Amino acid sequence: MNEVADRLDDATRRLVAATQEGLPLCARPYEALAARLGATQESVLERLAQMIDNGSIRRIAAVPNHYALGFRANGMSVWDVADEAATACGREIGELPFVSHCYLRPRHLPEWPYNLFAMVHARCREQVEAQVERIAEILGPRSRGHDVLYSKRILKKTGMRLGREI
Amino acid sequence: MDELDRSIVNTLQDGLPLCEEPFAALAAALETDEQTIVSRLARMLDEGILSRFGPLYNAERMGGALSLCALSAAPEAFDAIAERVNAHPEVAHNYEREHALNMWFVLATEDADRIAQVVAEIEQETGCRVLQFPKQKEFFVGLKLEV
């Protein structure tokens, strides 16, 4: 996970800019993208494959709008697990189908003892609670405490600029 | 959404193949044809069922930096503080959450040094202490919503 980040060369930057709004919607999307860039389809496919390989692109995929699909409750569950157990715990929790993001982050003692963050999405708060309960069972005594921070309001949500997309 | 929409969403969350006719490659498994997949995708993007279809970039691998941050805003100052925080173009998203730390936002910058500068600016403008939660390790990312 630590290899040096891909340097953003011009061709990559242009590719990212050209896909900012997504992939062209047609039967041959990579050819259409190549046409936009004035490049060959072959070179575009090659570059995309390379970027998937080095992790610059996670995947080329559809991203559902949670909210529109009825997944209206989201809770950021946070857990205090011993540092030496944290990686194993993260792997187990990250694999759960209802967990979208799972990260290890620094504690801020004394007010913030939690180091494992797992974002849980569900149709309602009761379902989030049940899923958090499930995480608690899996972690067992490895969790020394947890909390769930429900989102109340989206204050800002923008796509990322330049060529950034998360 | 009908059954076919659901199968398309479920399948395409995993990824589109890298080949000349990627939808044709998926059509058989979905028991439909490529044109139908393309037009269903267009409709679902249009209706907001999908928020994106395309490459999902990993900003950090491309030299950028991300950091989750939180602060505790007094209720009476909350909206004014949110406005100041949001005014920074580096703030990619910002959520109000139910906790003493009630404002959680993500900073996204093209280079890593800029994160600390933006944090310092926000602290100065809001008078709030900003806690930073940069990720130290990432586990599987990619929620798959079975729809």
Side-chain angles (χ1 to χ4, degrees):
Chain A
M1 300 290 280
N2 281 325
E3 59 253 55
V4 179
D6 197 20
R7 286 194 52 220
L8 227 51
D9 59 43
D10 259 6
T12 304
R13 198 176 275 269
R14 286 174 51 231
L15 178 71
V16 172
T19 52
Q20 191 87 334
E21 304 299 319
L23 205 60
L25 281 173
C26 56
R28 301 172 68 89
Y30 304 116
E31 189 178 66
L33 178 57
R36 271 187 204 174
L37 292 165
T40 62
Q41 172 169 242
E42 200 186 355
S43 69
V44 166
L45 283 170
E46 198 176 305
R47 180 163 294 271
L48 289 171
Q50 200 180 46
M51 291 173 78
I52 289 173
D53 266 359
N54 71 20
S56 305
I57 294 178
R58 295 179 193 279
R59 61 194 182 282
I60 299 172
V63 182
N65 176 346
H66 299 161
Y67 207 80
L69 287 168
F71 291 77
R72 303 202 169 194
N74 92 67
M76 184 172 75
S77 73
V78 292
W79 307 80
D80 173 15
V81 295
D83 290 339
E84 57 277 13
T87 299
C89 292
R91 286 207 187 107
E92 289 171 48
I93 302 313
E95 276 177 7
L96 296 170
F98 50 82
V99 171
S100 63
H101 303 79
C102 186
Y103 296 121
L104 215 53
R105 300 186 184 276
R107 297 182 173 87
H108 291 278
L109 295 171
E111 74 256 58
W112 189 266
Y114 311 110
N115 56 341
L116 186 65
F117 287 54
M119 191 68 76
V120 169
H121 296 264
R123 295 180 192 275
C124 60
R125 192 175 282 213
E126 291 67 33
Q127 210 182 344
V128 171
E129 283 164 7
Q131 290 168 340
V132 168
E133 201 42 52
R134 175 93 189 94
I135 296 177
E137 276 168 31
I138 293 170
L139 293 178
R142 292 179 295 174
S143 166
R144 301 179 293 209
H146 75 272
D147 200 350
V148 186
L149 282 70
Y150 289 97
S151 67
K152 218 166 148 185
R153 204 163 27 133
I154 298 174
L155 302 168
K156 183 177 186 183
K157 188 158 190 158
T158 55
M160 304 176 86
R161 284 176 188 49
L162 145 88
R164 298 166 310 188
E165 175 59 43
I166 52 168
Chain B
M1 274 183 102
D2 63 12
E3 261 329 290
L4 181 57
D5 285 339
R6 287 179 223 281
S7 324
I8 291 173
V9 172
N10 287 334
T11 302
L12 283 175
Q13 284 184 77
D14 288 333
L16 187 74
L18 273 178
C19 60
E20 294 185 4
E21 297 183 334
F23 297 108
L26 297 174
L30 290 166
E31 295 174 345
T32 183
D33 57 80
E34 59 179 338
Q35 214 28 259
T36 306
I37 301 178
V38 171
S39 54
R40 296 279 184 128
L41 275 177
R43 199 201 76 234
M44 289 191 279
L45 281 163
D46 212 41
E47 290 174 351
I49 292 171
L50 296 178
S51 54
R52 178 174 176 82
F53 177 69
L56 309 181
Y57 293 103
N58 181 344
E60 284 147 321
R61 280 301 170 83
M62 302 181 73
L66 291 175
S67 185
L68 177 67
C69 300
L71 60 78
S72 180
E76 64 280 7
F78 190 92
D79 289 343
I81 290 173
E83 204 171 307
R84 286 189 192 145
V85 170
N86 290 349
H88 291 266
E90 293 86 356
V91 175
H93 31 89
N94 187 1
Y95 282 82
E96 179 178 5
R97 294 194 178 273
E98 296 173 20
H99 191 272
L101 288 168
N102 52 4
M103 195 181 295
W104 289 77
F105 51 95
V106 170
L107 296 180
T109 60
E110 262 198 69
D111 78 272
D113 299 343
R114 180 76 188 125
I115 297 273
Q117 292 169 7
V118 180
V119 165
E121 286 163 22
I122 290 175
E123 286 188 325
Q124 198 181 11
E125 291 160 10
T126 63
C128 296
R129 184 174 155 233
V130 172
L131 297 185
Q132 289 188 67
F133 298 91
K135 77 179 176 202
Q136 295 166 322
K137 200 167 204 131
E138 168 181 316
F139 303 99
F140 173 81
V141 176
L143 170 77
K144 186 162 177 197
L145 297 173
E146 287 296 338
V147 301

